[in-house]
Amino acid sequence: MTTASAPPAPAETPQPPAPAQTPEPPATPPLRVLLRYARPHRTVLLATLLLVLAASAAGLVQPLVAQHVLDGLSDGRGVLGPVLLLAALVVLGAGLTGLQSWWQQRTSERVVRQIRRDLVFRLIRLRVPELDRRPPGDLIARVTSDSALVQNAATEGLVMVSNGVLSILGAVVLMGVVHLGLLGVTAAVLIAVALVMVLVLPRIREAVARAQESVGAVGAALDRTLGAARTVKANGAEGRETERAGEAIEGAYRAGLAGARYVALVKVLSGVSIQAAFLAVLGVGGALVAAGSLEASALIAFLLYVFYLASPVGSLVAGLSMLQQGLGAVGRIEQVKHMPVEDDVDDPREALATVAAPGAPPVEFRDVRFSYPGRAPALRGISYTVPGGTQTALVGLSGAGKTTMFALLQRFHEPASGQIRIDGVDIATLPRSEVRRRIAYVEQESPVMAGTIDDNLRYAATGASDEDIAEVLRLTRLDTLIDRLPDGLRTEVGNRGVTLSGGERQRLAIARALLRRPEVLLLDEATAQLDASNERALREAVDQAARRCTVILIAHRLSTVTGADQIVVLEHGLVRAAGTHAELVEADVLYRELASSQMLVSEGNEDIGELADVPR
């Protein structure tokens, strides 16, 4: 047969301009971000604050009522009314506090739900290069532990700070009513302590940010180990991996201790401030009572207000600590919002429904160049055409650029220059959802999702009928496996398909791809783990698929390559040669070497002897 050549791209073909680098937006102040999370719930939070203030007001009135009780006892007047009022204030304050707590917790859960939804939405749509360079465990930690800190800060922290400030102001006003001089003594003590706390609180934010990064490192270490559990165990690496994870845990421990020191210091300062204020008021007030310029009942009422201050001061300090912790986590969450995402993958149509392919389009690479960050160019100007409705095999040594071409075809990465066309249309002009709807991809690792066999089959074609599934099971010879399983298609495959053999996972991945009825089918070493019998069956299935779609495959087995309509030989990111098997064996030294060694199947291959006779 006449093979397609690999012509260079025409000089007159216009190249799309390189996309302008979007400057990263200026960082939003963390407090403003925190308030943004709280804003949708401002009505409930305001109502919660009003409940807190009402409970605080009930507490503020109690010392004055207690003063009246003491005055009544000293004057011989009845105190039943003031005592009942005092009891009612205590009960009312407790009831309001309970209702406020429920509203606050409910709002808190709603806030974290929305934060996690936003994070999950973006993380699932992150661009592949971003996912490649970030440990999954660290990204997961942002959804779990970081969001919990922001949850508390955006609701409970804000309410506690507001309540603390307003309650302290109310107490200060009433303390001034009782005695201005004693108020001055109290204020002097509290201001001195507050100045120290202003220096300490920002350290909490820094310590929390470091601690959360360390928690992410722990998650990354576990993800690395548990994701390759069998490799770890087979190589006796449990000790080394435990040590690696232990180092991450130790880092999180040290970072957590640093934050804990500052939090403890703040609590000590808040407690000391109240005790110091009490002692100062007791000393000065006692002297005033002894001099006859202050009533004993007034001193007792003032001391009760000092004790009352312990609650709002504690609320203010705890709220500020919580805010600092939340602000430390906000930065990590905001990082996710600045990571590049694929914003064109949410097709309003049901992209996963089974649809009949309209035809088998040609696929063209026109002077495509691409480099991974920090590495030598992977593709140096690839140009070739895959005719529609044919099978094209890509061969070459490891690192020649075969899998990179598949990644570019699906827009996992974008070429530095050049064009990739499907049916004459530059895929850069199409939404990613449309490109991927037209392509089915069987990866080299043949990943299987946790769930049932049926879940995995329908993962790429949610609208597939039972007849369609039965057909792909027959083509991939999975029907005999399903018949042996007690639960059939409802059999659980375990995490990453651990209950299936390598060949079964591979056939399941191929069945999933065929079920989509794609226009273009990409097979990356799709038969690597199959025995000769199943490989022949899969080749027949691929041959049938090629009647209605364009097939591009990467393979090292000669039996797979020789069945292709066209073979493209790649070397160092360039097209070295293209043609049929017979033509390339005759004309290309590299292909002849690959065919006679790397791609040979030891059993049942008629071409071995023929290749051995070909002069080198």
Side-chain angles (χ1 to χ4, degrees):
M1 104 166 235
T2 303
T3 62
S5 61
E12 67 274 14
T13 302
Q15 296 296 331
Q21 293 295 325
T22 304
E24 187 170 315
T28 306
L31 183 58
R32 186 178 299 176
V33 175
L34 202 62
L35 293 174
R36 190 172 67 214
Y37 288 129
R39 190 174 298 122
H41 310 277
R42 55 185 177 273
T43 302
V44 178
L45 289 175
L46 180 59
T48 301
L49 178 59
L50 292 176
L51 287 177
V52 173
L53 293 177
S56 299
L60 280 171
V61 177
Q62 291 174 27
L64 291 178
V65 176
Q67 183 180 359
H68 285 299
V69 172
L70 293 173
D71 289 340
L73 290 173
S74 63
D75 296 342
R77 291 182 282 109
V79 295
L80 180 59
V83 169
L84 291 177
L85 177 59
L86 189 60
L89 289 172
V90 171
V91 173
L92 178 62
L96 291 174
T97 300
L99 181 58
Q100 168 267 328
S101 177
W102 158 244
W103 281 7
Q104 182 175 288
Q105 291 299 321
R106 184 182 63 178
T107 305
S108 177
E109 292 300 327
R110 289 177 176 176
V111 168
V112 77
R113 177 183 64 182
Q114 189 58 48
I115 291 173
R116 287 172 176 167
R117 280 178 173 173
D118 293 344
L119 285 173
V120 167
F121 182 90
R122 291 191 65 84
L123 289 176
I124 290 177
R125 288 161 180 77
L126 284 183
R127 296 190 179 182
V128 171
E130 194 71 25
L131 289 170
D132 287 344
R133 72 184 188 90
R134 293 187 181 272
D138 178 64
L139 296 176
I140 292 170
R142 300 176 196 233
V143 180
T144 53
S145 58
D146 287 347
S147 64
L149 290 177
V150 176
Q151 163 197 16
N152 294 331
T155 53
E156 188 175 359
L158 291 175
V159 170
M160 290 176 73
V161 169
S162 302
N163 173 52
V165 170
L166 295 176
S167 298
I168 290 172
L169 290 177
V172 165
V173 170
L174 293 178
M175 291 166 77
V177 170
V178 175
H179 197 279
L180 284 175
L182 293 180
L183 174 60
V185 173
T186 305
V189 175
L190 294 180
I191 289 173
V193 175
L195 291 176
V196 178
M197 292 178 65
V198 167
L199 300 175
V200 175
L201 285 173
R203 304 293 182 87
I204 296 177
R205 182 197 309 184
E206 299 170 4
V208 167
R210 290 194 299 270
Q212 291 303 106
E213 290 175 0
S214 300
V215 170
V218 174
L222 279 177
D223 179 79
R224 175 182 184 273
T225 303
L226 299 180
R230 283 167 171 72
T231 302
V232 171
K233 294 179 181 299
N235 290 277
E238 290 91 343
R240 295 194 300 277
E241 293 299 334
T242 301
E243 183 178 355
R244 180 190 294 268
E247 291 173 357
I249 292 171
E250 187 65 24
Y253 169 73
R254 289 194 296 268
L257 275 188
R261 289 193 202 100
Y262 291 120
V263 171
L265 179 58
V266 167
K267 289 184 177 180
V268 168
L269 290 174
S270 64
V272 167
S273 66
I274 299 300
Q275 295 299 324
F278 173 78
L279 293 175
V281 169
L282 184 61
V284 175
L288 293 175
V289 170
S293 58
L294 180 66
E295 294 291 334
S297 60
L299 175 59
I300 293 175
F302 199 94
L303 288 173
L304 288 176
Y305 275 120
V306 173
F307 276 122
Y308 168 83
L309 279 177
S311 177
V313 167
S315 175
L316 177 61
V317 169
L320 288 173
S321 299
M322 205 173 289
L323 280 179
Q324 294 300 323
Q325 293 174 0
L327 294 176
V330 157
R332 284 169 48 80
I333 289 178
E334 283 298 289
Q335 283 179 359
V336 175
K337 295 191 174 181
H338 292 149
M339 295 177 189
V341 297
E342 297 178 340
D343 53 6
D344 56 355
V345 295
D346 295 295
D347 194 328
R349 296 172 299 172
E350 181 54 59
L352 295 182
T354 300
V355 293
V363 177
E364 303 170 74
F365 281 75
R366 295 189 174 187
D367 195 27
V368 175
R369 301 173 186 272
F370 175 78
S371 299
Y372 293 99
R375 295 169 57 182
L379 301 180
R380 303 170 183 267
I382 291 288
S383 295
Y384 69 89
T385 298
V386 178
T390 65
Q391 295 185 49
T392 292
L394 306 180
V395 301
L397 298 173
S398 178
K402 304 183 294 296
T403 301
T404 297
M405 292 169 64
F406 277 14
L408 294 178
L409 252 175
Q410 296 168 96
R411 295 193 63 191
F412 293 160
H413 298 274
E414 301 296 332
S417 63
Q419 292 183 346
I420 302 174
R421 292 173 172 260
I422 295 180
D423 206 13
V425 179
D426 184 356
I427 64 173
T429 65
L430 299 174
R432 289 180 176 84
S433 58
E434 176 64 17
V435 174
R436 294 168 189 172
R437 184 185 66 81
R438 302 173 71 177
I439 296 174
Y441 176 39
V442 180
E443 301 174 59
Q444 185 172 354
E445 296 83 5
S446 303
V448 173
M449 311 291 285
T452 66
I453 294 177
D454 188 70
D455 292 336
N456 275 276
L457 288 170
R458 297 181 188 273
Y459 193 75
T462 54
S465 66
D466 293 342
E467 291 75 15
D468 293 330
I469 291 178
E471 175 65 13
V472 297
L473 291 177
R474 184 188 64 78
L475 288 174
T476 55
R477 293 196 178 181
L478 281 172
D479 50 351
T480 55
L481 169 67
I482 303 301
D483 292 339
R484 293 198 307 269
L485 298 173
D487 294 328
L489 288 172
R490 296 184 180 179
T491 301
E492 293 284 341
V493 299
N495 184 42
R496 305 185 186 186
V498 69
T499 64
L500 301 176
S501 69
E504 289 167 348
R505 285 197 299 271
Q506 208 162 27
R507 282 183 283 159
L508 181 57
I510 294 172
R512 182 171 58 200
L514 294 177
L515 197 59
R516 292 185 62 180
R517 297 185 181 178
E519 298 176 29
V520 179
L521 177 61
L522 307 180
L523 303 174
D524 190 350
E525 304 283 4
T527 60
Q529 300 185 52
L530 301 181
D531 55 36
S533 175
N534 281 315
E535 184 192 357
R536 281 194 298 272
L538 259 298
R539 284 209 308 273
E540 293 173 3
V542 171
D543 290 341
Q544 292 188 33
R547 297 172 187 171
R548 59 173 183 257
C549 70
T550 302
V551 179
I552 307 176
L553 55 90
I554 298 171
H556 286 161
R557 288 193 176 189
L558 185 64
S559 55
T560 303
V561 172
T562 53
D565 301 301
Q566 175 183 229
I567 302 169
V568 177
V569 184
L570 300 174
E571 184 178 33
H572 303 311
L574 292 169
V575 174
R576 174 188 172 96
T580 64
H581 170 68
E583 292 170 344
L584 291 173
V585 166
E586 181 67 28
D588 188 75
V589 175
L590 175 61
Y591 181 79
R592 188 160 58 245
E593 290 285 348
L594 292 172
S596 62
S597 57
Q598 189 173 344
M599 293 190 297
L600 281 183
V601 177
S602 58
E603 296 181 19
N605 196 316
E606 299 174 356
D607 294 326
I608 297 178
E610 296 177 8
L611 288 172
D613 296 331
V614 175
R616 307 220 178 154

